[in-house]
Amino acid sequence: MTVNEMQERIRKLKAGKGICVLAHSYQGREITEVADYSGDSYQLSVMAAKTNAKTVIMCGVRFMAETVKILSPDKTVYLANPTAGCPMAEQMDKELIEGVKNQFPDYAVVCYINTTAELKTVCDVCVTSSCAVKVCSRIPNKNILFIPDCNLGKFVADQLPEKNFKLLQGGCPVHAAITLRDVEAAKKAHPNALLLVHPECVPAVAAAADYVGSTSGIMEYARKSDAREFIIGTENSIAEHLQYDYPNKRFYTLSKNLICENMKATTLPDLLACLEGVGGEEITLDPDTLKKARRCIDEMIRLSE
Ligand code: 13P
Ligand code: SF4
């Protein structure tokens, strides 16, 4: 079967069965082309809450499928490839954070959406990279424990000097591996290009950038900018999507190592198998986890509106 034939089969199956396919922007082009919606973590969680479809398939990583289930517990939710997890989401567990909370009882606990549903049950509010500054600025508490990404946490803290942030040592192994040497090499190769990076990069890399923002923020900046060349400092699918979308501009990757193997785990055949009922994993969460984790996500949606 060719890629086109498989895409056609996927389109027919999802239309026939009334299934909504969501794809994070880090997914490959062949997947975003057949998705009903693709976007960043925040946009996907909003779409998950809005869709009328009774079944949703997430092409992304596990915490994203869990977010869909938390927001729509009555829907049947599948993760297209069950092996796709986010290593950052596994870095801190509920017990660890309960221990830290006991030490710092007057801190509001803000978790990045890249966390497990279980960990969200003990947090006050969650954020995505696109709404983190707004949400943190609107939290009444001055003291904020921001977990698990210390790079995103520092990026937010720098913009909110009126707040007192406590950060722990966590982060994205893919983005955090990018160094100033990568920046220097990319700028040397493309001296006229603007550098756009994700806030999961280390502060030194973010400081060297012309723009720091979420995946959708980066895509929007590139769309609106009059510049013709861009170095993209986030998962390399974004540079590829941008090149398809804006063929008159040039997009370069900041490093060939900016590849998230978990985001890349899902293939078009995985999506087809899931639609055919012979692949994917149905996400199930117990009622108590659903209820408590939902408070944390609802609070994000309320504070970011
Ligand atoms: P966004 O919140 O920008 O979609 O990023 C998700 C993610 O996993 C980044 O590595
Ligand atoms: Fe997780 Fe990093 Fe992959 Fe995003 S890019 S899913 S934070 S490992």
Side-chain angles (χ1 to χ4, degrees):
M1 207 185 285
T2 65
V3 171
N4 282 343
E5 285 165 351
M6 193 171 284
Q7 286 182 319
E8 230 11 77
R9 196 162 160 67
I10 285 170
R11 286 192 184 99
K12 278 202 187 112
L13 271 173
K14 69 186 179 81
K17 294 186 176 188
I19 294 176
C20 171
V21 174
L22 299 178
H24 189 269
S25 318
Y26 288 168
Q27 297 292 294
R29 194 73 182 172
E30 70 289 0
I31 292 179
T32 58
E33 275 177 356
V34 293
D36 294 282
Y37 193 80
S38 74
D40 70 8
S41 305
Y42 183 77
Q43 294 167 328
L44 291 183
S45 55
V46 171
M47 284 313 290
K50 278 189 184 159
T51 177
N52 290 325
K54 289 195 168 51
T55 302
V56 176
I57 298 177
M58 173 58 73
C59 298
V61 291
R62 183 166 295 271
F63 77 82
M64 296 176 175
E66 286 186 348
T67 304
V68 178
K69 186 69 186 173
I70 293 164
L71 286 169
S72 309
D74 296 334
K75 293 193 203 305
T76 306
V77 179
Y78 291 95
L79 177 62
N81 183 319
T83 70
C86 166
M88 170 163 31
E90 309 294 331
Q91 280 166 352
M92 291 175 196
D93 61 18
K94 190 176 149 193
E95 287 67 36
L96 174 86
I97 297 307
E98 277 176 328
V100 181
K101 275 174 65 164
N102 286 338
Q103 278 180 277
F104 302 98
D106 54 339
Y107 277 65
V109 183
V110 177
C111 65
Y112 196 13
I113 200 163
N114 299 37
T115 42
T116 60
E118 193 190 30
L119 178 52
K120 287 184 180 83
T121 63
V122 296
C123 298
D124 296 305
V125 55
C126 88
V127 295
T128 70
S129 54
S130 60
C131 68
V133 174
K134 191 190 268 183
V135 169
C136 288
S137 74
R138 292 178 174 177
I139 291 172
N141 297 51
K142 180 177 166 65
N143 293 332
I144 293 177
L145 171 65
F146 190 102
I147 58 167
D149 188 342
C150 59
N151 295 324
L152 175 63
K154 164 113 178 58
F155 170 73
V156 178
D158 284 349
Q159 293 176 68
L160 300 173
E162 70 278 16
K163 301 274 185 187
N164 178 29
F165 278 79
K166 175 161 268 314
L167 309 175
L168 302 182
Q169 278 302 315
C172 166
V174 180
H175 287 82
I178 299 304
T179 64
L180 263 186
R181 281 177 70 170
D182 295 308
V183 170
E184 281 155 16
K187 283 191 170 182
K188 196 168 169 215
H190 311 291
N192 299 320
L194 294 182
L195 175 63
L196 320 182
V197 310
H198 198 280
E200 288 175 10
C201 291
V202 297
V205 169
D210 297 287
Y211 172 79
V212 184
S214 71
T215 49
S216 61
I218 288 174
M219 293 176 95
E220 192 55 12
Y221 185 98
R223 182 181 74 80
K224 284 189 183 152
S225 172
D226 291 333
R228 314 301 302 167
E229 293 180 74
F230 305 86
I231 300 162
I232 304 298
T234 190
E235 217 284 340
N236 286 342
S237 286
I238 299 300
E240 188 182 352
H241 293 315
L242 285 167
Q243 196 59 73
Y244 277 105
D245 293 343
Y246 309 109
N248 296 330
K249 297 180 176 180
R250 292 291 295 144
F251 299 94
Y252 312 108
T253 58
L254 173 52
S255 161
K256 65 178 167 48
N257 298 327
L258 264 168
I259 292 176
C260 175
E261 57 196 22
N262 282 282
M263 280 288 184
K264 288 287 155 38
T266 306
T267 63
L268 205 55
D270 287 338
L271 175 55
L272 177 60
C274 193
L275 279 159
E276 286 175 332
V278 293
E281 178 187 321
E282 184 178 346
I283 301 293
T284 54
L285 294 167
D286 66 78
D288 192 50
T289 303
L290 279 171
K291 191 168 148 222
K292 290 182 180 156
R294 178 156 189 161
R295 276 206 302 259
C296 182
I297 299 175
D298 279 346
E299 194 58 359
M300 168 183 82
I301 294 174
R302 186 181 74 79
L303 288 172
S304 59
E305 266 165 12

